[in-house]
Amino acid sequence: MSEIHISPSQNGKAPALPMTCLLAALLAACGQAPTAGAPQAPAQLADAPQVVSDLDATQGALRPAAVTDPYTYYNFTGTDGVQTLMSTGEGVCWLAKVGGNLNSNSDYLQVYHSQGQWKLNYHSDSSDPVSGRVYCVKWTAFKTPTVTQPARWISNGFTSIANSCTSFNKDTWWGDAATYISYVGGDVQGIGGVYVSQSTSGSKSSTMTAVACATTSKVYGGAHSLFIGKPSSNDLPQFWGPGGVGVPYSTAYKTGSYRAVSWGPSTVEMAPTDRAFCYLSTLWGDFDAMIDEAKVYRSTNSAGQQVWKLSVYDSNPGGNKGIGAYANCYMLTQY
């Protein structure tokens, strides 16, 4: 039987990666070099959840599309909300859509686990609501044909905060785990956002970076790491990406990350949903209207196949920096 474990972070030092180069270039455009900051816990929210269907926007608890569907999804729109999702013993959840007017240091969307349950928090300081989507996938969807007793571990949350045109880097788990965005908050404008660099070493940390680039703004970032496989093997996770599929020892660096930007292409097709799950690994831009968004979602392509797609939308395309996002797709079969 597989082991399911909620664990603190591994120790390690993150290497320089291509995403780091992108981040450095964006910060140079802002006129500042990265500096360290201090993480800050999110505020507590009142119980006021609004859960709607992924397909028809009707209110109520969500159900999978079919009995055999391993995915569950939750849409939400509002100014305050707390929602319990599924148990950590049943599966893993991630923040698949970030949308709305993120222009206050107190605005945020967050997925986390506590006392064995995945939970969702969101808050907006203004009358303009934030919106988002959470996907969860059951542990039973993952296969490890060469590992008889695989570990299935999910980290605690990693959090960072950036102030006034600075960035703050946070080491996450080593590169033998996949690291994904689970928390976005603050005044997300310009190049401000959350950036994950997936390590290409099984014994060095991936990193998550929050970036702020406005005189008085703060940006909060958060991530979780997922490990499935044989502990201490240093085997790198298998991904599906634009540079290749999940052959043994393929990595996010080799397969590449999917990219969508509001100036085009704004929507890209990614992996089949029965082969991988896809998550946001980086997002940035001008989130200053309710319809602004970056998201991954399931869709049926022209061949009738259900696939993941990455999409962004900017209501003010003539704005400062537009909106952009990267996504990685973690294979459901790991070794």
Side-chain angles (χ1 to χ4, degrees):
M1 184 175 179
S2 300
E3 176 185 6
I4 299 173
H5 181 56
I6 308 302
S7 173
S9 63
Q10 295 168 308
N11 294 320
K13 184 177 181 181
L17 294 172
M19 186 62 71
T20 308
C21 298
L22 168 65
L23 180 57
L26 291 171
L27 286 169
C30 186
Q32 295 289 336
T35 57
Q40 187 176 78
Q44 296 297 314
L45 299 178
D47 290 330
Q50 182 186 30
V51 181
V52 298
S53 167
D54 184 58
L55 300 178
D56 56 14
T58 57
Q59 295 188 23
L62 190 75
R63 294 291 182 267
V67 174
T68 57
D69 188 353
Y71 297 102
T72 306
Y73 45 87
Y74 303 83
N75 270 6
F76 58 94
T77 299
T79 56
D80 277 293
V82 177
Q83 175 68 37
T84 298
L85 304 171
M86 67 164 52
S87 73
T88 55
E90 186 178 2
V92 59
C93 300
W94 69 99
L95 185 61
K97 173 188 171 183
V98 175
N101 192 354
L102 296 170
N103 62 1
S104 165
N105 292 337
S106 299
D107 297 343
Y108 64 89
L109 309 89
Q110 180 188 32
V111 172
Y112 67 103
H113 59 78
S114 175
Q115 298 180 332
Q117 295 287 329
W118 285 102
K119 297 182 179 182
L120 161 70
N121 277 356
Y122 57 93
H123 174 75
S124 174
D125 251 4
S126 69
S127 58
D128 296 326
V130 293
S131 65
R133 177 180 297 125
V134 176
Y135 277 101
C136 300
V137 61
K138 295 179 180 179
W139 292 118
T140 53
F142 297 97
K143 310 299 180 185
T144 53
T146 65
V147 183
T148 56
Q149 291 185 313
R152 297 176 179 179
W153 296 346
I154 187 72
S155 73
N156 291 323
F158 302 96
T159 308
S160 67
I161 178 174
N163 292 279
S164 302
C165 227
T166 65
S167 68
F168 178 80
N169 301 324
K170 182 72 173 180
D171 284 351
T172 64
W173 274 5
W174 291 347
D176 57 358
T179 296
Y180 62 89
I181 292 175
S182 57
Y183 174 33
V184 178
D187 187 10
V188 184
Q189 304 292 323
I191 66 164
V194 183
Y195 300 74
V196 170
S197 292
Q198 177 71 38
S199 173
T200 59
S201 170
S203 58
K204 292 185 178 180
S205 298
S206 299
T207 59
M208 182 269 299
T209 304
V211 177
C213 201
T215 304
T216 60
S217 74
K218 292 182 179 180
V219 171
Y220 305 90
H224 282 78
S225 295
L226 169 68
F227 175 84
I228 296 177
K230 183 178 180 180
S232 304
S233 66
N234 287 333
D235 289 337
L236 294 172
Q238 300 183 83
F239 292 90
W240 181 300
V245 297
V247 297
Y249 300 99
S250 69
T251 69
Y253 175 69
K254 292 178 181 176
T255 61
S257 298
Y258 292 96
R259 175 179 180 265
V261 290
S262 55
W263 55 92
S266 59
T267 300
V268 297
E269 183 175 316
M270 302 187 290
T273 60
D274 62 351
R275 298 292 302 279
F277 83 89
C278 301
Y279 56 85
L280 292 170
S281 58
T282 288
L283 65 86
W284 76 92
D286 295 320
F287 288 83
D288 50 18
M290 181 179 173
I291 56 177
D292 293 342
E293 64 181 17
K295 63 183 179 182
V296 296
Y297 62 99
R298 298 188 298 177
S299 178
T300 302
N301 65 14
S302 58
Q305 183 181 35
Q306 189 177 79
V307 297
W308 292 102
K309 289 188 177 181
L310 170 65
S311 179
V312 299
Y313 182 78
D314 183 4
S315 61
N316 182 23
N320 186 17
K321 297 289 183 182
I323 291 175
Y326 284 80
N328 290 341
C329 297
Y330 185 80
M331 297 286 288
L332 295 179
T333 299
Q334 294 287 325
Y335 299 98

